[in-house]
Amino acid sequence: MIRGKIIFKGNFWEFFVMVLGLMILSIVTLGLFLPYLFYWQFKYFFNNMELEIYDNRTNLQN
């Protein structure tokens, strides 16, 4: 069985400031920035995500 874990390398404060700024822009532009806000959140998460995969299979070819 292959096991692993997800490591997030992002910075909370950078994310917070960007989301706050994009939300203010969405209010000012009457919602035109909302699709970009959702897109940016997914993009930020997946760009800062790292997968560590562990192979727990034993070597049976001794």
Side-chain angles (χ1 to χ4, degrees):
M1 175 185 278
I2 298 175
R3 295 186 180 251
K5 65 180 178 177
I6 298 173
I7 298 173
F8 186 70
K9 303 181 304 178
N11 184 350
F12 172 76
W13 291 110
E14 176 187 6
F15 180 81
F16 179 75
V17 168
M18 287 296 292
V19 167
L20 190 63
L22 287 173
M23 288 178 76
I24 291 171
L25 277 176
S26 294
I27 293 170
V28 170
T29 62
L30 302 175
L32 291 177
F33 260 80
L34 281 178
Y36 182 73
L37 173 66
F38 297 131
Y39 164 76
W40 184 84
Q41 288 177 354
F42 282 112
K43 180 182 166 193
Y44 184 82
F45 175 73
F46 286 112
N47 281 343
N48 290 303
M49 180 178 61
E50 185 176 287
L51 297 175
E52 283 189 3
I53 307 254
Y54 306 111
D55 190 6
N56 291 337
R57 292 179 287 178
T58 57
N59 190 1
L60 299 175
Q61 299 175 350
N62 289 332

